[in-house]
Amino acid sequence: MKSLHAQHHPLADSGYQLTVLTQADVEGAQLLPFAARLRETGLLPLRPTGIRVMQINVGKMCNQTCRHCHVDAGPDRTEIMTRATMQLCLDALVQTDIQVVDLTGGAPEMNPDFRWFVEQISALGRQIIVRCNLTIIVANPKYYDLPQFFARHGVQVVSSLPHFSALRTDAQRGEGVFAKSIKALRLLNEAGYGAEGSGLSLDLVYNPSGAFLPGSQAALERDFKQRLLREHGIVFNNLLTITNLPISRFLDYLLESGNYASYMEKLVLAYNPAAAANVMCRSTLSIGWDGQLYDCDFNQQLDLPVEERAPQHIRDFNLAALNNRAIVVNQHCYGCTAGAGSSCGGATT
Amino acid sequence: MEKSTYYNPADLSKFGNISEWQPELGRKFFEYYAEVFKEGALTEREKSLIALAVAHAVQCPYCIDAYTSDSLQKGADEAQMMEAVHVAAAIKGGAALVHGVQMMNKAKELSM
Ligand code: SF4
Ligand code: SF4
């Protein structure tokens, strides 16, 4: 499968995605603007509660092309963060006491300076999260030692595994992905990940493989733990449930399958004020591969940078000014506030 | 042209309207319903799969739609859902067949 970008698909244009998302009336269903919903809840303008996580997207290159990918990542994407931009991130980081650096992509490990970057952040004594898609570990011999590399730097590994059954995982992420993911999970377990007392944390991410919301995080975690242990001898720490946001390739799937209107309605109906108060953009700053600043990785993929009055690029980083900004919201934000809420850390309520 | 059948999928979301003509009983039913589907000795996923099987046994298209999506949401996979349908089929088929014993008894009673 090619990325939407390589297909010259209309949805590769973020402006067009926003046009689709902001239609007032979808198949007769009136979708209240997200900002109006926030106002009702007393949360407009949405402001940061203090940046605690720096999430850095080091590039759109990926060895997979999952059907739900909000980055439209894939082997054909060439956008990649340079070492010079990484240095700007490090310069910004030392000015602050932000404790967590969350590295994402694409497959972040495919960035040629990825290991150098991890070593530098680690030397600053900050906690590192790597959003690892698992299959990258077994994709090529040069990645085989990633589990040991991660362990050396105490990296917290957060990995997508949409389901404990091969059928549902492969439908979302590509033929054969489940088997490779299981192999990679074994290697992570062998390196100590997920084992009690090892201090090496391995969290799995569950995304619904279709046009429905995730169920209870606690219940799914129990099922995943039981099934992965029984059938594959695999252990992990937490399961994080994440709602698919209606953008990019998942938006393409929703439109193609005729599920768009009902999915949006589902999200809007499930609006939860407690989840809205806890959206991750309130505590996260997102940095793009070219150093541009965003409120979150979703806004990043929709080309919606932080509000004009705030610093726009990591070279102009200013924590106080960024903590004072108003967060840019749009209809896709309903994905973060539905039900138990959704963030990079899983359910928010 | 309007498709004319007895069932309209849009009616599923109007299920709550049954309370309009009898609010007290409606409220009691929905309270009970919500309580039944909460996690208890059975998990929510197990209850959803039971509901899916029963939906097939009583052949309610609304419930089949509702509990297919609910089972997916609760994390069930295709194999579990189809096994639930087979449980319904086995019980329905078995229920028909076990009455065969009654038929045999009656036939014997009436026969020389
Ligand atoms: S979802 Fe993750 S693994 Fe899949 S294509 Fe996107 S970045 Fe790659
Ligand atoms: S999509 Fe981004 S900006 Fe919108 S609520 Fe979610 S995290 Fe915040």
Side-chain angles (χ1 to χ4, degrees), chain A residues 163-165 167-168 206 212-216 219-220 222-223 226-227 266, chain B residues 39 43-45 68-81:
Chain A
H163 207 269
F164 47 73
S165 86
L167 194 63
R168 298 203 70 75
Y206 165 91
F212 50 93
L213 302 181
S216 139
L220 283 164
R222 270 202 307 273
D223 283 347
Q226 224 177 47
R227 294 284 293 261
K266 220 175 271 181
Chain B
E39 174 151 331
T43 66
E44 289 187 359
R45 184 175 47 88
T68 300
S69 68
D70 192 64
S71 297
L72 286 170
Q73 185 166 329
K74 301 274 156 62
D77 64 13
E78 285 86 341
Q80 293 173 331
M81 286 158 63

Side-chain angles (χ1 to χ4, degrees), chain A residues 161-225:
Chain A
L161 187 74
H163 207 269
F164 47 73
S165 86
L167 194 63
R168 298 203 70 75
T169 296
D170 288 1
Q172 184 186 95
R173 292 177 84 80
E175 202 54 43
V177 165
F178 184 77
K180 286 183 207 152
S181 303
I182 293 295
K183 213 163 138 188
L185 283 170
R186 271 206 195 102
L187 295 174
L188 284 164
N189 278 175
E190 280 165 21
Y193 273 94
E196 222 174 303
S198 71
L200 295 172
S201 150
L202 169 63
D203 294 341
L204 296 185
V205 174
Y206 165 91
N207 286 91
S209 39
F212 50 93
L213 302 181
S216 139
Q217 183 167 279
L220 283 164
E221 182 179 285
R222 270 202 307 273
D223 283 347
F224 266 70
K225 283 198 164 161

Side-chain angles (χ1 to χ4, degrees), chain A residues 82-111:
Chain A
T82 61
R83 193 181 280 214
T85 306
M86 289 177 178
Q87 187 58 57
L88 293 175
C89 297
L90 294 166
D91 296 344
L93 198 60
V94 286
Q95 299 173 32
T96 73
D97 60 356
I98 294 175
Q99 287 306 309
V100 182
V101 181
D102 185 339
L103 299 178
T104 186
E109 302 90 340
M110 288 176 85
N111 182 309

